[in-house]
Every structure is written in C-alpha cells, then in structure tokens.
C-alpha cells in the first residue's frame, strides 16, 4: 500500500525558514516523479514543485528562488526547504506521487498534508 | 504559462442527476488533462487521466471527454458520495502544472 506522510508544518513568522519532509512507502520511491502541491485555507490547489526520478527539478514561479526541493532515495524521502516565507505561503502542503517516472503523467497518490501558517 | 478555467464554479444537483463540468485551457494541451475529486478535509483523488481514461477503482458513472482546449467531466447519475469539489489539471507543460479553480457540487 502506497503511503505518503508529511511532517514539519508549523506556525512561523514572515521571513522565516522551514523544512517539510515526506516519508514514502509501498512503492519503489526512486522510480517516480514526486511533487509538492499546496492548498491555501478555503482555496484551490496550487502545484509547487517536482523532482523526477532522474533528477529534473521544477518550481512554480510563485516559489522560485525561495523554495528548494530535494529527495533522499536511500531514505525514501522528499523534502521542501522553504525560505523567505510570506503570509501568502500559508497552506496545507501535500506530498504527491506521480504515475510517471521521468516526466509527469498524473498525480496518483496524495499524502494527508502538513499545515504551514505564516503569521506575525 | 497555461491557464485553466472551469465552469460552473458551483452547481446544485440532486441524486440521480446527470452533471457535466467544463474545463478550458488557454492553449492546446492535446489530451494532457486530468480530473480530481476532493471531499472536505480530504486529499484530492484522481478520477480521470489523459482526458478520457478512468483511473482504476473509480466508478464508471464518471467519464471524461475532450482534446485541445475544451474538456468535460460528466457524472451520469449523481450519487450521495459524489458531492465534492472537482478540479481539472493540465500536464502538457512538464515544468509548470496548473489546476483549474474548481467546481463545487452540492446537494440541491
């Protein structure tokens, strides 16, 4: 059974830094594209970042230069380093597995999310 | 960037109704279009991928159509468990993925 468990969400002040983690199990982690997708309270879904199995990395324009995605295939884990946080980064952050390996196909498994609140 | 729009933004329907949601892309995305269902307090779940393919385990009352810029998600006979918010998402651009704003389906 595929499981994705996010952690690291907290209440943090604007300008702060935070690292989210996602522990994956139930599939061969290094074979698949992994994403971070966020959802602000009461709002829609926003794609944040991807890290493919062969090392390609991409970011949404809204987080480029502030967020860094990484993965440790030996620990079956995905990470999101978030710097220079803004109030508008407040959201539930989902770790998402893609059906695809080298490129995205569709998002087939989602974690339950970890809540990041940026507030003074 | 490819922009996605959905209509309507919300709709009220009764159990047994046929429901159709429309998604439009700002440029042609071939059939790189996926549909997700999200219930309150839950993570989204994929229903349809590649515009028309039903994800394993999803009831056959869900169907998708379209290519290019115009797509639809239909529910042939709405069931109580189908009341949720539905999002379309393009995967044509492999560096910037975008979702539609969502369509909330609630009980009339």
């Amino acid at each position: 059974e595929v499981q994705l468990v996010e952690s690291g969400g907290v209440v943090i002040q604007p300008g702060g830094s935070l690292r989210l983690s996602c522990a994956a199990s139930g599939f061969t982690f290094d074979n698949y594209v992994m994403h971070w997708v966020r959802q602000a309270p009461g709002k829609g879904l926003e794609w944040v970042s991807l890290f493919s199995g062969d090392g390609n990395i991409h970011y949404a324009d809204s987080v480029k230069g502030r967020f860094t995605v990484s993965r440790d295939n030996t620990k079956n884990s995905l990470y999101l380093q978030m710097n220079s946080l803004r109030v508008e980064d407040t959201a539930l952050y989902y770790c998402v597995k893609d059906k695809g390996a080298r490129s995205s196909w569709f998002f087939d498994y989602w974690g339950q999310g970890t809540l990041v609140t940026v507030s003074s | 960037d490819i922009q996605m729009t959905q209509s309507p933004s919300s709709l009220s329907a009764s159990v047994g109704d046929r429901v159709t949601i429309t998604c439009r892309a700002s440029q042609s995305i071939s059939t790189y279009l996926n549909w997700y269902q999200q219930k309150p307090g839950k993570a989204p779940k994929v229903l349809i991928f590649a515009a028309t393919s039903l994800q394993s385990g999803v009831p056959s009352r869900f169907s998708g159509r379209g290519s290019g810029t115009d797509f639809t998600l239909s529910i042939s006979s709405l069931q109580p468990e189908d009341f949720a918010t539905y999002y379309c998402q393009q995967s044509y651009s492999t560096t910037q993925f975008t979702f539609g704003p969502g369509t909330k389906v609630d009980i009339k």
Side-chain angles (χ1 to χ4, degrees):
Chain A
E1 179 194 5
V2 171
Q3 288 197 337
L4 301 167
V5 180
E6 304 93 336
S7 61
V10 293
V11 179
I12 189 165
Q13 291 189 336
S17 296
L18 191 58
R19 189 196 198 203
L20 305 182
S21 299
C22 169
S25 61
F27 64 102
T28 306
F29 181 72
D30 51 1
N31 281 1
Y32 293 94
V33 177
M34 297 294 297
H35 303 263
W36 288 99
V37 175
R38 68 184 181 184
Q39 186 169 35
K43 303 297 184 183
L45 301 167
E46 180 187 17
W47 173 81
V48 173
S49 180
L50 81 77
F51 199 132
S52 72
D54 58 356
N56 289 314
I57 292 173
H58 297 286
Y59 299 97
D61 290 342
S62 58
V63 306
K64 201 172 292 183
R66 300 187 299 122
F67 290 10
T68 302
V69 65
S70 61
R71 65 193 288 168
D72 185 338
N73 291 337
T74 66
K75 296 182 178 179
N76 290 348
S77 293
L78 182 73
Y79 305 99
L80 187 67
Q81 177 66 42
M82 310 164 67
N83 298 332
S84 303
L85 281 161
R86 304 168 180 169
V87 171
E88 55 265 35
D89 295 320
T90 295
L92 187 64
Y93 284 74
Y94 291 105
C95 173
V96 182
K97 174 189 171 294
D98 204 290
K99 182 70 172 178
R102 292 189 176 184
S103 61
S104 181
W105 190 0
F106 61 93
F107 305 160
D108 62 348
Y109 288 94
W110 299 62
Q112 286 307 300
T114 188
L115 182 62
V116 175
T117 304
V118 184
S119 174
S120 55
Chain B
D1 292 357
I2 301 172
Q3 307 302 317
M4 308 299 293
T5 58
Q6 286 181 236
S7 61
S9 56
S10 65
L11 66 90
S12 295
S14 300
V15 172
D17 285 353
R18 179 178 181 85
V19 168
T20 298
I21 298 167
T22 297
C23 175
R24 179 164 291 170
S26 60
Q27 66 180 71
S28 177
I29 57 171
S30 184
T31 57
Y32 291 89
L33 190 284
N34 309 309
W35 289 98
Y36 300 86
Q37 176 194 66
Q38 187 179 33
K39 297 181 180 178
K42 299 293 187 182
K45 163 189 164 183
V46 63
L47 300 174
I48 301 285
F49 63 92
T52 62
S53 296
L54 192 68
Q55 171 69 337
S56 175
V58 174
S60 59
R61 62 181 179 272
F62 291 93
S63 63
R65 297 187 66 180
S67 66
T69 60
D70 295 322
F71 303 87
T72 58
L73 171 71
S74 294
I75 309 171
S76 60
S77 178
L78 199 65
Q79 298 302 300
E81 60 268 29
D82 301 336
F83 292 98
T85 300
Y86 295 85
Y87 295 93
C88 62
Q89 175 247 335
Q90 64 83 16
S91 56
Y92 178 84
S93 169
T94 56
T95 61
Q96 294 285 321
F97 303 89
T98 42
F99 291 89
T103 295
K104 185 177 181 180
V105 176
D106 61 21
I107 302 172
K108 182 184 285 184

